[in-house]
Structure formats: C-alpha cells, structure tokens
Amino acid sequence: MDHVINILKDRISGDVIFSENPGKALKKWRKIFEVSQKELAERLGISPSVISDYESDRRRSPGIGFVKKLIKALFEIDKKRGYRVISRYRDLVSGANLDVIIDMREFGKSLKFEEFVEILDGKVVVETDKAVNGYTIIDSIKAILTLNAYDFYKLYGYTSERALIFTKVTTGRSPMVAVRVANLKPNVVVLHNLKRVDEIAMKLAEIDRVGLVLTGLPVDEMIERLRGVK
C-alpha cells in the first residue's frame, strides 16, 4: 500500500501544483476523498475559512509546502477510514494489466454535464445533474474479451465521479449491463460512434441515474479536446 500511496501523492501534487486553477483542483480532490472543509481544517490546525478561500481563489495559490501538508492530511483521514478511497486506486496505480484503457485523466475542475456533452459534440440520451471530474476511454471489444467481473470492478471503482467512454460499441447494452452490476457507478457513460442505442441500455441508465451520451467524434480528436480541459 505504501508504494501506491507515494505514487498517488505525487499524482495529486502534480495535478494541483501544475493546474491553472489550483483551488479548484484542491476542491476536487477533497471531494473525491469525501472530506469536509471543517474536517480537513481541523487536521491541518487552521480555520475552515482558509480552505474555503483557497478553493474559491479568494486567497493566493498555496505553496508546495501547504499542498503537501493538505494531501498528507487527506491520506491520514482516509487511513482512519480504512483506506476507503485509496483502495479504489490501488490496482490501477500499481500497474494492473488494464490495456483496455485508451486514455484516462482527471480534470483540473469539475465539469457540469452540459459542459462535458458540449466538448464531445454529444447527443444526450439520458440526462443527469451529476458533474464529471475526469474520464476513462475504454476499448469495449477488448474489455468484453479480456476483463472478468473483478477487472470491471477495478475499472469502475477508480472513481465514481467520472465518465466512462466506450469505443467500438454496437448497441450499448453490454457496457450498461456491466455498469448495472458494478457497486460503484460512473456519473456518465458515453457510447462512441453509435447511431441508435438499445432500449434496455437506456432503461438501465435511467434506473442507475447515469447520464448516457452518444458522440461521433474521432477518438484522437476526442482525446485532444478532453485533454484541453484545464
């Protein structure tokens, strides 16, 4: 676990320090770790207003030293909770063989569902009011042929606040069935290059309150646009 923690700490540090909006990046990771401003402030020995000021850009961007202390505090809180959040990242961070992933990234800020759809020139099939904090683009053929149930669990458990984008789909039913049986759900599922969605897939999205979107953008252009989100 120590190896995973060190890698994840570096990842979060880079995400915050090199972000054009460090405050929003801090807020995003605090929410991913499900820690309130008050709880984090108490761990750091500061006022909750300091955390609020950083996250809302009312205070100058924090230095590297403060960011490291804040990340350490998040990890200490998660440790007390039994590594509830860090365990979701363990298999992916430690190099599990998930070559079905074409691209994966956390955004520097949360995107509204409408903003995310616009970036993809998407067509909304099932709406949601949930935000999108990142994305994973998946080769659905490879996923179906090579992943077992536990692999799917690892893939979806990376974070439940992201979009899963499936390429090479035919009806959309298989991805939505996989989402249905997973304990942790993505906020949005995107089906790539699909003209018509299976009715059962739509029904499953509605039951799980998962946004369902279609896009015809070429994969390379899709990645370029998503990676352009700061």
Side-chain angles (χ1 to χ4, degrees):
M1 182 68 78
D2 287 344
H3 173 66
V4 175
I5 288 173
N6 289 333
I7 292 176
L8 192 52
K9 280 182 178 179
D10 289 342
R11 185 175 194 170
I12 298 172
S13 296
D15 188 27
V16 174
I17 292 168
F18 295 109
S19 173
E20 290 187 1
N21 196 320
K24 287 186 177 179
L26 285 174
K27 182 177 182 179
K28 178 193 73 174
W29 282 105
R30 179 179 61 77
K31 287 192 170 185
I32 286 174
F33 275 79
E34 300 170 5
V35 176
S36 68
Q37 290 181 346
K38 181 181 178 182
E39 186 177 11
L40 182 57
E42 287 176 352
R43 173 68 62 168
L44 291 169
I46 59 177
S47 168
S49 64
V50 175
I51 303 294
S52 177
D53 287 346
Y54 276 131
E55 291 184 350
S56 59
D57 293 323
R58 289 192 296 269
R59 186 182 289 255
R60 214 168 109 189
S61 297
I64 295 175
F66 179 82
V67 170
K68 287 183 176 179
K69 288 180 181 178
L70 186 144
I71 293 171
K72 181 181 179 183
L74 290 176
F75 278 65
E76 288 173 346
I77 293 170
D78 196 55
K79 182 180 179 179
K80 285 184 64 177
R81 297 174 176 175
Y83 291 116
R84 189 169 65 193
V85 174
I86 294 172
S87 61
R88 298 179 195 169
Y89 289 77
R90 179 173 54 210
D91 292 319
L92 288 173
V93 171
S94 60
N97 183 22
L98 292 177
D99 60 351
V100 302
I101 297 175
I102 297 172
D103 193 43
M104 180 171 63
R105 181 172 173 262
E106 298 287 339
F107 294 137
K109 61 180 181 180
S110 294
L111 291 180
K112 293 180 180 178
F113 175 66
E114 296 80 7
E115 294 174 320
F116 181 74
V117 172
E118 184 177 355
I119 289 170
L120 296 181
D121 289 344
K123 177 184 176 182
V124 177
V125 179
V126 176
E127 292 189 3
T128 182
D129 58 358
K130 298 176 182 176
V132 181
N133 284 328
Y135 67 89
T136 304
I137 303 178
I138 301 166
D139 184 318
S140 64
I141 300 298
K142 284 185 179 180
I144 291 169
L145 293 177
T146 65
L147 296 187
N148 57 34
Y150 180 60
D151 288 332
F152 269 111
Y153 177 81
K154 291 187 296 186
L155 188 61
Y156 294 173
Y158 182 58
T159 171
S160 58
E161 297 183 342
R162 65 195 301 117
L164 289 180
I165 304 171
F166 291 91
T167 67
K168 303 177 183 177
V169 290
T170 53
T171 66
R173 181 183 295 191
S174 294
M176 292 313 303
V177 168
V179 168
R180 177 63 179 154
V181 300
N183 290 330
L184 296 167
K185 316 288 185 184
N187 282 1
V188 178
V189 169
V190 179
L191 303 176
H192 176 253
N193 229 12
L194 184 65
K195 302 298 183 184
R196 184 174 177 275
V197 185
D198 180 86
E199 289 185 7
I200 292 178
M202 288 190 285
K203 186 64 176 177
L204 292 175
E206 291 169 355
I207 291 172
D208 285 329
R209 298 177 59 243
V210 172
L212 188 59
V213 178
L214 303 181
T215 183
L217 283 179
V219 174
D220 288 346
E221 183 176 350
M222 184 162 48
I223 292 173
E224 183 178 353
R225 290 190 183 190
L226 290 171
R227 285 192 167 271
V229 177
K230 301 302 183 182

